[in-house]
Amino acid sequence: MNIRRFLFLSLTFLVGCKEQDLEMNVPYSGDKLVLWGKLQANSSFKLQVTKTFNPVGNIPNDVTVNNATVVLYKNGKIYLTLSHSGREPGFYTSDSVIQAGASYFVKVSAPSLPTAESAVVTVPAEISEVTAIRTHDVVPQMNHQTPQDLVTLFLTNKDASSYKYLSIKLMSYYKSDTLSSYPYASADNIPANEEDCHTWGTEPEKPKYNAVIKAYLFPQSRVFLMSSQCLPVPAIPLKFYVETATGYNYTERALKVTARIGVVSKEYFEYAKIENKQPEGVDHLVLPPQRALTNVKNGYGLIFASSEKTIELL
């Protein structure tokens, strides 16, 4: 390549990469409350309260709301008022446990913001019985370089027919850390592309401080969600491949694996199904606003319910 051609291509590259402002007219109806909380049976209730901000202009450093009044209703009557945790910005907690079979909703107010109210959500009953089997060091289904185990779950006849939406979360415990085992559903008994049957979701885990970068990391775990219409007959199990090693050359092996089996309300299943289909990646840098499910009136967010049990797989 001669020098003239090189200079021409270099100039073309620099001109083509020049930063330009993109003007967008995005409608905004004013600041509103955003609520996020899970009503988990036999556990205390924890609600995160934040607020929206104008998409045009500077992004605020903090959107948490720490001066809200949060009232939890049970079976149509005022049950209790949640207090601010004090440790985690924007989080409100209760000491009382959530009851399976009861119906709840929350009403949240804050200065200079409209009062938000969630839809009524009924807490499902717990799965009565699950049998889990862990088979060590099987031939991996995906990511073949990673050591994997096979987790096989059997549901009883009653559970297979009674519950509408299930969640399955598998975690690997190591000497130094606890990680999402990033499960892969076995293709031989769970249809991969059956519409409205199942989807993948994510759950935030407890923040971890990294001394190397001197900042908190916010890990997430992978959750499999399934409609009961996709369950195989009770004699046929649900099967998942789980990663059971980490570190350099995968030399650190998991000390144990746990399977959390839950029954979730329809709201969370529908929310995860929409989120899982949202386009991502560098080829989608500029997109119109994407859909998101909310069951909060005069605000945004999601209040959903679950009943869960955890089985340890040695």
Side-chain angles (χ1 to χ4, degrees), residues 62-203:
D62 186 11
V63 293
T64 57
V65 178
N66 301 305
N67 58 350
T69 299
V70 179
V71 180
L72 180 66
Y73 290 73
K74 178 182 179 181
N75 295 331
K77 299 179 180 179
I78 294 178
Y79 180 50
L80 54 84
T81 299
L82 278 68
S83 59
H84 186 263
S85 68
R87 297 186 302 272
E88 298 177 273
F91 280 93
Y92 298 76
T93 58
S94 73
D95 295 327
S96 299
V97 298
I98 298 300
Q99 178 185 349
S103 297
Y104 297 87
F105 71 91
V106 294
K107 185 179 289 186
V108 182
S109 58
S112 304
L113 291 167
T115 298
E117 181 179 322
S118 76
V120 177
V121 178
T122 301
V123 182
E126 184 183 81
I127 289 181
S128 60
E129 184 178 347
V130 178
T131 301
I133 300 173
R134 176 183 173 188
T135 306
H136 292 256
D137 296 321
V138 297
V139 177
Q141 184 183 51
M142 298 179 67
N143 285 353
H144 299 286
Q145 74 278 10
T146 310
Q148 295 176 28
D149 292 351
L150 178 65
V151 175
T152 307
L153 303 173
F154 293 88
L155 293 113
T156 65
N157 288 329
K158 176 183 175 182
D159 289 329
S161 60
S162 300
Y163 302 120
K164 294 186 180 297
Y165 302 99
L166 300 176
S167 70
I168 299 172
K169 176 181 175 181
L170 299 162
M171 300 292 289
S172 294
Y173 292 76
Y174 298 90
K175 184 177 180 180
S176 58
D177 205 356
T178 302
L179 301 172
S180 173
S181 57
Y182 210 87
Y184 308 101
S186 176
D188 60 358
N189 67 343
I190 299 178
N193 299 306
E194 197 167 345
E195 185 66 23
D196 294 328
C197 276
H198 38 72
T199 188
W200 291 97
T202 57
E203 282 188 7

